[in-house]
């Protein structure tokens, strides 16, 4: 992508751009999934550290608990992203329905005035 931004009109840019288009790759989406997973893993791991600190145990007392909570954090973060996408689609559908209902209502008001 660095070559594409520096040389947009050269032959180097078009094969790279068309390669991603042909494969159906969305690098932004892949980067977002990786970032969400890392953030979720950090929260899960940090939660286990916090739990051990509250209980005044050694921070890395049972390593398997850290692995479990790291995985749980990753799963929750990815689920949250998918849930947000689903809710966004539902809100868009509801807004389209409301706009259609409002336009019908306004048309009926305009017809009454004539």
């Amino acid at each position: 992508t660095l070559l594409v931004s520096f040389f947009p009109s050269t032959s180097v840019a078009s094969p790279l751009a068309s390669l991603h288009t042909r494969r159906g790759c969305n690098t932004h989406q892949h980067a977002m999934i990786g970032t969400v997973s890392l953030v979720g893993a950090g929260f899960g791991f940090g939660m286990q550290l916090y739990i051990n600190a509250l209980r005044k145990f050694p921070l890395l007392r049972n390593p398997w608990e850290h692995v479990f909570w790291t995985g749980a954090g990753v799963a929750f973060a990815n689920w949250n992203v998918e849930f947000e996408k689903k809710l966004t689609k539902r809100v868009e559908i509801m807004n389209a329905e409301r706009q259609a209902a409002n336009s019908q209502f306004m048309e009926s008001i305009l017809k009454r005035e004539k």
Side-chain angles (χ1 to χ4, degrees), residues 17 63 85 107 111:
K85 287 179 187 176
E107 288 174 4
K111 287 180 184 177

Side-chain angles (χ1 to χ4, degrees), residues 9-30:
S9 62
T10 63
S11 62
V12 174
S14 59
L16 291 176
S18 64
L19 179 66
H20 284 292
T21 305
R22 277 184 266 141
R23 287 186 184 170
C25 293
N26 187 351
T27 55
H28 177 69
Q29 182 180 6
H30 292 303

Side-chain angles (χ1 to χ4, degrees), residues 3-61:
L3 290 174
V4 174
S5 62
F6 283 126
F7 306 109
S9 62
T10 63
S11 62
V12 174
S14 59
L16 291 176
S18 64
L19 179 66
H20 284 292
T21 305
R22 277 184 266 141
R23 287 186 184 170
C25 293
N26 187 351
T27 55
H28 177 69
Q29 182 180 6
H30 292 303
M32 189 177 90
I33 291 172
T35 304
V36 168
S37 296
L38 285 175
V39 169
F43 278 131
F45 188 81
M47 185 174 72
Q48 183 58 39
L49 290 175
Y50 184 69
I51 289 169
N52 284 346
L54 283 178
R55 296 164 71 189
K56 297 192 179 186
F57 288 151
L59 292 181
L60 298 172
R61 180 173 174 232

